[in-house]
Amino acid sequence: MGSELSRERKPGREQEGTATGPHPVPDVAAYLSGRWSIERTVDDLRNGAQGSFRGTAEFRPDATGEALLHHEEGQLTWGGTVRPVSRTLRLRPRPDGTAAVDFADGRPFHDLDLRTGRWTAVHPCAADRYEGTFTADGPDEWHLEWRVGGPAKDQLLCSVYRRLG
């Protein structure tokens, strides 16, 4: 799947979720709860380097029960080196079925609204701009494409999440 994913999913290209389009998600926290496998391609568009990530994501209630912790861990392959990596985000559900996503330290990251099955989030980070397109393809699969641009970055990260268990 690796590099085929990045070739199939170009920036700005509309993605089809299923034969009938994206899968509407009325409650993003309920949809994401649980464990997911992740396959991600990482393309540095400036120098042509490619890498990949394989791992898992878990969305589980935090200690307060008012948010979900989104913890990813797995193996990143980049430049011929394989190393373990992880990250944690916090998803704060809202009554309307949307959510706010924060970094682990509490800084805001982006909003998430999958009620139509698709959402685009923008996050400015210093001189860089992150634009993420989230697409729910069905009850057990969703895709995330981050396009990162800035003075030192020109990257495309394409991820496929599939529900486990």
Side-chain angles (χ1 to χ4, degrees):
M1 182 164 207
S3 60
E4 295 88 25
L5 181 62
S6 65
R7 282 195 294 272
E8 291 172 7
R9 308 186 71 217
K10 298 295 181 192
R13 182 177 151 205
E14 286 298 310
Q15 306 169 45
E16 289 302 318
T18 64
T20 59
H23 174 76
V25 174
D27 182 342
V28 71
Y31 175 76
L32 292 174
S33 289
R35 289 181 43 84
W36 302 80
S37 69
I38 309 168
E39 293 183 35
R40 177 176 298 140
T41 59
V42 182
D43 292 304
D44 186 321
L45 304 174
R46 186 162 285 156
N47 65 21
Q50 292 185 321
S52 64
F53 170 85
R54 290 187 188 270
T56 58
E58 183 175 14
F59 292 82
R60 66 180 184 279
D62 70 359
T64 69
E66 297 176 6
L68 292 179
L69 291 180
H70 167 188
H71 182 73
E72 291 186 4
E73 61 185 12
Q75 300 290 319
L76 175 68
T77 302
W78 186 260
T81 302
V82 178
R83 65 183 181 125
V85 295
S86 66
R87 74 172 181 171
T88 300
L89 299 171
R90 188 169 176 251
L91 189 99
R92 292 182 293 115
R94 297 183 181 120
D96 64 0
T98 67
V101 180
D102 299 328
F103 292 103
D105 64 7
R107 291 176 298 129
F109 188 12
H110 62 81
D111 289 329
L112 184 55
D113 179 353
L114 287 175
R115 292 175 293 185
T116 66
R118 180 172 288 136
W119 179 254
T120 298
V122 175
H123 175 75
C125 184
D128 299 323
R129 181 178 192 270
Y130 288 69
E131 184 173 318
T133 302
F134 297 75
T135 305
D137 286 351
D140 299 319
E141 183 174 313
W142 58 284
H143 295 237
L144 173 55
E145 179 178 294
W146 282 106
R147 181 73 161 89
V148 185
K153 291 182 182 176
D154 190 5
Q155 298 174 339
L156 179 63
L157 294 83
C158 296
S159 303
V160 177
Y161 291 76
R162 292 186 179 92
R163 190 177 303 280
L164 294 171

